[in-house]
Amino acid sequence: MSSVPDVRDRSHLGVRRRGSSPRQVGSLFARLLGPLTVGTGKRESAPTSNREKQMLALLLLNLPHVTSTGLIIDELWTENPPKTAMTTLQTYILHLRKFLAETMGVSARTVAKEYLVHRSGGYVFVASQVDLDVEEFRALERRAHMEVDLDDYQGAVRTAESALSLWHGQALMDVQAGQYIQAEIHGLEQARLSLIEEKIEAEMVLGRDRKVLGELSTLVTRYPLHEGLNSSYIRALANSGYRTRALEVYQDLRAVMVDQIGLEPSAELRELHEAILTDRLPRARTERRRGELLRHPA
């Protein structure tokens, strides 16, 4: 019989908390979930040049793959690269290696040989030498999903909170983003929002509807057309005794949807609205399963 991994044990997910021992002496830690910084634990910094910061972000996002010079040029200059693009790119790499050498207290030659290396057609960070907060977030995100699958909602809430604590503003908030980096930022922000939604749903399964009201109020203001968050807010309000306010939120959502995108709320939201009107909203939360949790794109 196959065994289920202990959800309290992070080793099988490769989760390594900030501040824990690095993989190797001199390994580099990079933060992308907020302002871009790199460091070794003793100090953190970022390139001052916007182009070099953009290139650093691109190389880190593309780990563990080689980032081709063509992709770098497309990201930095979009559709109008200068004739000197390749020479300028190599200059940026030189400056980036110098920056990393100063940050890490090693020589630029060491950086070129052991950290940011040239490969056929491009450049790549040596994965064993670099730890990313994005990787830590993804591992915790997977763990939270697994805990929900196992009906460990308390564990899922704790894990989701750990994952979300890695964020310090919008991803790469101080980086000039071209089309590739922008797409990656969008994916990270969507993953963050989805995990927030899953955490809130887990809290509600545990009967903590009142606890999440403040957070949901902020979220639906920020994402007024997000049906999943609005559904959670409406249910939390109704289950907390605020039926009138719950109905108002539904009507506000419907008005915005019809006005801005010409659509009625989903069938699930309409059924929720009807359940509140007829006082048929289920009170029991413990029988909810992850497959029944409402998920709608932003």
Side-chain angles (χ1 to χ4, degrees), residues 24-45:
Q24 300 182 25
V25 175
S27 67
L28 190 68
F29 186 85
R31 303 180 195 271
L32 285 72
L33 303 178
L36 173 64
T37 61
V38 295
T40 57
K42 296 181 180 179
R43 58 172 295 189
E44 294 182 13
S45 56

Side-chain angles (χ1 to χ4, degrees), residues 114-182:
E114 300 181 14
Y115 292 89
L116 177 51
V117 302
H118 179 264
R119 291 284 185 267
S120 178
Y123 297 88
V124 63
F125 274 103
V126 177
S128 62
Q129 296 279 38
V130 181
D131 290 318
L132 296 177
D133 60 353
V134 170
E135 290 181 349
E136 187 176 345
F137 171 76
R138 292 295 195 191
L140 288 166
E141 179 188 32
R142 290 192 298 271
R143 180 185 175 204
H145 294 335
M146 182 182 69
E147 288 166 332
V148 169
D149 285 338
L150 296 173
D151 298 338
D152 180 10
Y153 297 108
Q154 290 187 356
V157 170
R158 288 193 298 267
T159 301
E161 288 174 342
S162 295
L164 295 168
S165 73
L166 297 171
W167 288 74
H168 303 282
Q170 294 184 336
L172 296 170
M173 59 190 296
D174 59 343
V175 174
Q176 176 179 296
Q179 57 184 0
Y180 180 85
I181 291 179
Q182 191 58 56

Side-chain angles (χ1 to χ4, degrees), residues 6 8 22 47 82 99 116 146-147 170 178-180 182 194 200 210 216 238 266 268 271 284:
D6 183 351
R8 296 168 300 178
F99 158 75
L116 177 51
M146 182 182 69
E147 288 166 332
Q170 294 184 336
Q179 57 184 0
Y180 180 85
Q182 191 58 56
S194 295
I200 289 172
R210 283 182 177 271
L216 280 168
S266 66
E268 289 173 302
E271 290 170 5

